[in-house]
Amino acid sequence: MMHDISPLHATSVDDLPYSMAALDAAMEAAGLDALVATSKHNVRYLLGGYQFIFFSAMDAIGQSRYLPAFVYLRGQPDNTGYFANKMEIHEHKVTPFWVPHFRPDHWGSVDTMTAVAEHLQKCGVASGRIGFESGFMPKDGYDALAQALPQSSLVDASMDLTRLRMIKTKPELDLLREATARISESMQATIQASGQGSSKHQIIERLRQEETRRELAFEYCLLTLGDSHIRAGSDQTWNKGEVMSIDSGGNLFGYIGDICRMGVLGQPDTELVDLLAEVESVQQAAFACIAPGRTGAEMIAAGEAELRRGANARHNDFFAHGMGLISHEAPFLMTNHPVAYEGIDAERPFEPGMVLSVETTLQHPSRGYIKLEDTVILTDEGHEVFGGDERGWIVSTQAD
């Protein structure tokens, strides 16, 4: 059942999902005098939940691109600025932004970064260390900022912003919980409405519609049918007795739900019941190690040890990662598996408010791709599994 839930939209610093003190501390530790954030997810986070709907799907316009910029000077919250597209003046009239300096004057990357540089100069930061997001700054914007501030040092602050987002507030967790629940409902509806002869293209489109009906922004569906391990849309059809692995991410007001569930066309046989139970045993072994003070390394060791005890260990795989505004964020728990980053947080003690994705995959040579993926949050007492219902075989009886 869907619950009424509102997007985050801070109208004052008291509504932000972080504190200025925490931001100042992060910047001081990194030796930053100023911060220029330009990724959609970090600008949204730093503003307190706002994202301009006109550019929610794409960035290109005219001869340049949309480049929102959130500018913060360490210890100077009164000089915080948001450099926006001209059309965002209408958003401000409806719900004024909390930032003291709102500049809706820009259409492209160069004019935005030129204005950012002018603002920093007026605030006395013509030199020093300025943090930016190297993966989310176009070259022409970077060149404009560097040329206007030749005495400054531009350094990548991407990890500092990721760390700032790592511990979620209650409103953020509420969005993640609801996003996961709605994806689970969408998957159940999709599996039960699909039947003999449904193609992968049709099933993916049905899931998109189900998620959209539940006010989610559909992001992707990784789908397998039968004995295939290929997780892409095609004309392949679902047939009686075959399994379906359905893995999807849906976005609720910026926060991502990401789970995988299993369907079967007709009642599962004994072998399928045993195979999913093997996957489930790995998940449960990992869950048992998720609590404040425990570490990702402990959780991973427990999951992998249980995996090795299974009858199909050579076909099994275990993975865990942090998530929230994006599908892989801090804490980073495993190295290059399968996404190319280092597991730098594996030995870091878990803290309440962290959000994890835990997933076990069995690529069985004859029965197909059997997987469970769950979203788990750290609580004061231990952990909570989001979307924990319907984690067994979801049966479609439309086999005829």
Side-chain angles (χ1 to χ4, degrees):
M1 177 183 294
M2 287 199 307
H3 299 93
D4 290 333
I5 193 163
S6 300
L8 304 183
H9 196 143
T11 57
S12 73
V13 294
D14 296 330
D15 301 326
L16 296 173
Y18 62 96
S19 68
M20 293 296 180
L23 181 54
D24 284 336
M27 292 175 65
E28 184 173 6
L32 299 178
D33 300 294
L35 176 69
V36 179
T38 52
S39 67
K40 284 182 179 178
H41 56 279
N42 277 324
V43 169
R44 182 174 201 154
Y45 181 77
L46 293 164
L47 285 174
Y50 164 79
Q51 186 176 56
F52 187 29
I53 191 172
F54 190 84
F55 291 103
S56 63
M58 63 183 299
D59 300 326
I61 187 166
Q63 297 180 0
S64 188
R65 58 158 290 171
Y66 176 59
L67 189 69
F70 178 96
V71 180
Y72 182 80
L73 283 68
R74 191 180 80 217
Q76 301 181 46
D78 290 343
N79 284 324
T80 304
Y82 176 46
F83 296 79
N85 182 270
K86 287 188 176 182
M87 291 186 288
E88 290 177 82
I89 187 64
H90 303 285
E91 309 287 329
H92 182 68
K93 289 179 179 178
V94 174
T95 306
F97 295 98
W98 64 267
V99 293
H101 300 275
F102 174 54
R103 299 287 185 267
D105 306 315
H106 314 294
W107 278 105
S109 52
V110 173
D111 60 334
T112 299
M113 285 301 109
T114 300
V116 166
E118 291 172 355
H119 178 72
L120 290 171
Q121 289 171 329
K122 288 178 182 178
C123 295
V125 186
S127 61
R129 286 167 59 88
I130 300 172
F132 76 109
E133 297 183 81
S134 59
F136 298 90
M137 174 73 81
K139 185 178 184 303
D140 58 0
Y142 176 89
D143 289 345
L145 188 63
Q147 290 168 12
L149 301 171
Q151 303 302 314
S152 67
S153 175
L154 299 180
V155 297
D156 186 19
S158 302
M159 187 59 70
D160 303 295
L161 287 168
T162 298
R163 289 269 181 264
L164 187 68
R165 303 198 316 268
M166 184 164 57
I167 306 300
K168 273 64 175 179
T169 61
K170 183 181 181 303
E172 292 180 284
L173 294 174
D174 289 342
L175 285 171
L176 285 162
R177 181 185 292 105
E178 187 65 21
T180 306
R182 295 184 189 188
I183 293 173
S184 178
E185 292 174 5
S186 300
M187 288 178 170
Q188 294 172 49
T190 298
I191 292 170
Q192 291 165 357
S194 301
Q196 180 75 27
S198 296
S199 73
K200 293 178 78 174
H201 287 314
Q202 291 171 331
I203 294 167
I204 292 170
E205 174 58 20
R206 184 182 293 277
L207 180 66
R208 186 193 67 79
Q209 293 178 15
E210 293 289 351
E211 290 188 7
T212 302
R213 187 175 296 121
R214 292 169 175 81
E215 300 177 340
L216 294 168
F218 174 81
E219 296 209 347
Y220 60 84
C221 176
L222 305 175
L223 183 74
T224 70
L225 298 177
D227 61 2
S228 173
H229 299 163
I230 297 175
R231 302 205 295 167
S234 71
D235 292 328
Q236 180 189 356
T237 58
W238 202 19
N239 298 298
K240 188 173 182 179
E242 290 184 342
V243 306
M244 174 197 296
S245 168
I246 188 164
D247 185 338
S248 179
N251 191 309
L252 182 62
F253 305 133
Y255 288 81
I256 295 174
D258 178 16
I259 59 175
C260 183
R261 294 293 180 258
M262 294 302 304
V264 60
L265 188 51
Q267 294 298 321
D269 57 38
T270 301
E271 183 181 31
L272 289 180
V273 172
D274 290 344
L275 291 174
L276 189 56
E278 186 175 334
V279 169
E280 172 71 355
S281 69
V282 178
Q283 293 289 97
Q284 293 298 329
F287 295 164
C289 293
I290 300 177
R294 305 292 293 269
T295 66
E298 291 179 74
M299 177 193 68
I300 293 162
E304 291 182 338
E306 181 64 24
L307 183 151
R308 289 191 294 270
R309 282 190 282 269
N312 295 277
R314 67 187 185 280
H315 302 302
N316 274 345
D317 184 68
F318 175 78
F319 185 49
H321 57 89
M323 60 179 295
L325 277 172
I326 61 177
S327 59
H328 284 252
E329 61 180 39
F332 299 105
L333 303 175
M334 300 181 76
T335 298
N336 294 333
H337 185 131
V339 184
Y341 52 71
E342 298 296 314
I344 56 178
D345 297 319
E347 300 294 341
R348 182 188 186 115
F350 286 144
E351 300 175 57
M354 287 182 174
V355 181
L356 311 177
S357 178
V358 179
E359 48 190 293
T360 302
T361 305
L362 167 55
Q363 297 189 54
H364 195 274
S366 62
R367 301 311 300 267
Y369 199 92
I370 300 173
K371 175 179 178 179
L372 289 175
E373 181 176 8
D374 297 292
T375 299
V376 187
I377 70 156
L378 273 294
T379 65
D380 291 332
E381 297 77 23
H383 68 267
E384 176 187 349
V385 180
F386 286 172
D389 58 332
E390 296 297 339
R391 299 176 66 256
W393 287 107
I394 304 171
V395 176
S396 171
T397 57
Q398 301 192 47
D400 297 326

